Amino acid sequence: MKALDITEVAQRSGVPASTLRFYEEKGLIASIGRRGLRRVFPGHVLEQLTLIAAGRAAGFSLDEIARMFAPDGQPDIDRGMLSAKADELDATIRQLTAMRDGLRHAAACPAPRHLECPTFRRILRAAAAGRLSRPARLTPVRK
Amino acid sequence: MKALDITEVAQRSGVPASTLRFYEEKGLIASIGRRGLRRVFPGHVLEQLTLIAAGRAAGFSLDEIARMFAPDGQPDIDRGMLSAKADELDATIRQLTAMRDGLRHAAACPAPRHLECPTFRRILRAAAAGRLSRPARLTPVRK
DNA sequence: ATGCCAATTCAAGCTGACTTGAGGTCAAGC
DNA sequence: GCTTGACCTCAAGTCAGCTTGAATTGGCAT
């Protein structure tokens, strides 16, 4: 796979150069040299970046993601960790679903005080019940 | 509903007093007076805290929660906004569901390299494609 | 050989949601 | 009336994940 300099990586991946440098510093990706001042990355860095984005989307921290890569950049994913995360996501999904239903109900319910509406209270309980553990951040809030 | 001082609220809700003060400063909850130095809150603050927790669980920021609910816990903003939020949550839920399925697959898949597994790649694409919108944070990382 | 321009380094700053610490105050118990 | 202890205020610190700014460097075109 062809080598790409940092600007090309930034353009193709949509990840800002500053973030690429930051990720390199953190050990999430590795450059294979320089072209003048410019970092040069191996072509597969693009897939790594996709993986990183997906991991972030699933709620992994950068540190956790870093732990998933072997030193050579090959994914070395702990399967137990993956299913643990899947379980976490399941809990999150249930919670979000309850919240969504709560919001829909609140939007439709004519009761003057939602906290007194039994349906809303039931939904609240459900939403508050399971404790999630990690953010599922997405949309890098790129403006 | 009976008034509670800050310590009682903290004990019953599990929310630290420092956080209660912080929430009050932010306008998310309101005290109704003092008993000596101590803030006194109306009894329904407990339900408001539940609502706040649920909102945080669903990925709303404190500011958003403040905007969605009047200080008394009544949904304040127009119903259109509430259903818009519900729609947002729906998108997030679909995304997380795809991600969860991806993780489960990765945990089970015997392929030596996930990046070479077609299913995993498809899931990666899906995860990278749809952009979630918000974090779903919970478990206040209370140690 | 001389500039230009973009990339580099390093430190500092930013946002969100709190927590922590220093120093002050108040009601209550002895 | 004095000590005690919990709460008070206000400022500063923390953590993650980046971004921004200042000063520097190096390839490329003239």
Side-chain angles (χ1 to χ4, degrees):
Chain A
M1 244 182 268
K2 175 169 153 274
L4 305 165
D5 76 26
I6 192 172
T7 338
E8 293 169 322
V9 175
Q11 280 173 2
R12 297 206 200 179
S13 66
V15 176
S18 63
T19 304
L20 295 174
R21 280 189 286 267
F22 176 72
Y23 281 177
E24 183 178 23
E25 203 184 334
K26 277 243 153 188
L28 277 98
I29 58 178
S31 56
I32 51 179
R34 298 286 174 120
R35 201 131 72 201
L37 272 189
R38 297 179 185 194
R39 282 164 177 78
V40 174
F41 291 98
H44 71 258
V45 77
L46 293 176
E47 299 214 321
Q48 286 183 45
L49 289 171
T50 304
L51 196 50
I52 290 168
R56 301 270 302 115
F60 293 102
S61 69
L62 293 185
D63 281 356
E64 283 172 318
I65 293 168
R67 268 180 261 126
M68 292 181 181
F69 290 92
D72 64 344
Q74 284 304 326
D76 170 29
I77 298 170
D78 171 0
R79 288 156 206 277
M81 186 176 179
L82 293 184
S83 31
K85 275 295 171 186
D87 291 346
E88 258 177 45
L89 277 186
D90 245 349
T92 305
I93 289 166
R94 275 195 298 278
Q95 218 154 4
L96 292 186
T97 303
M99 190 67 195
R100 179 204 55 193
D101 293 344
L103 288 180
R104 287 218 202 289
H105 177 81
C109 178
R113 307 188 130 257
H114 286 97
L115 284 179
E116 282 160 17
C117 164
T119 305
F120 191 72
R121 293 171 67 103
R122 182 185 55 68
I123 288 163
L124 252 196
R125 273 200 311 283
R131 346 208 314 149
L132 298 185
S133 61
R134 288 247 155 226
R137 168 169 293 288
L138 227 27
T139 323
V141 185
R142 227 185 291 303
K143 13 164 202 215
Chain B
M1 246 183 266
K2 173 168 155 271
L4 306 166
D5 75 27
I6 192 171
T7 341
E8 293 170 321
V9 175
Q11 280 174 3
R12 297 207 200 178
S13 66
V15 175
S18 63
T19 304
L20 294 174
R21 281 189 286 267
F22 175 72
Y23 282 177
E24 183 179 23
E25 203 183 334
K26 277 243 153 189
L28 286 150
I29 58 178
S31 56
I32 51 178
R34 299 283 173 122
R35 203 132 69 203
L37 273 189
R38 298 179 183 193
R39 283 163 177 76
V40 174
F41 292 98
H44 70 260
V45 78
L46 293 176
E47 304 215 316
Q48 288 181 46
L49 289 171
T50 305
L51 193 53
I52 291 169
R56 300 270 304 114
F60 297 109
S61 69
L62 293 184
D63 281 356
E64 282 173 318
I65 292 170
R67 264 181 269 124
M68 278 195 283
F69 301 98
D72 62 349
Q74 273 186 293
D76 183 35
I77 298 310
D78 63 295
R79 289 152 200 281
M81 178 178 177
L82 295 181
S83 31
K85 289 289 181 194
D87 291 346
E88 246 177 56
L89 279 186
D90 245 348
T92 304
I93 288 165
R94 275 195 299 277
Q95 197 90 41
L96 290 184
T97 303
M99 197 65 210
R100 179 204 57 193
D101 294 345
L103 290 181
R104 288 221 200 287
H105 173 82
C109 179
R113 294 165 168 261
H114 287 103
L115 282 179
E116 281 160 19
C117 164
T119 305
F120 190 72
R121 293 175 67 102
R122 180 184 57 68
I123 286 161
L124 258 195
R125 272 200 311 283
R131 347 207 309 148
L132 295 186
S133 60
R134 293 264 152 210
R137 167 174 291 289
L138 208 47
T139 325
V141 186
R142 230 188 285 305
K143 16 169 196 200

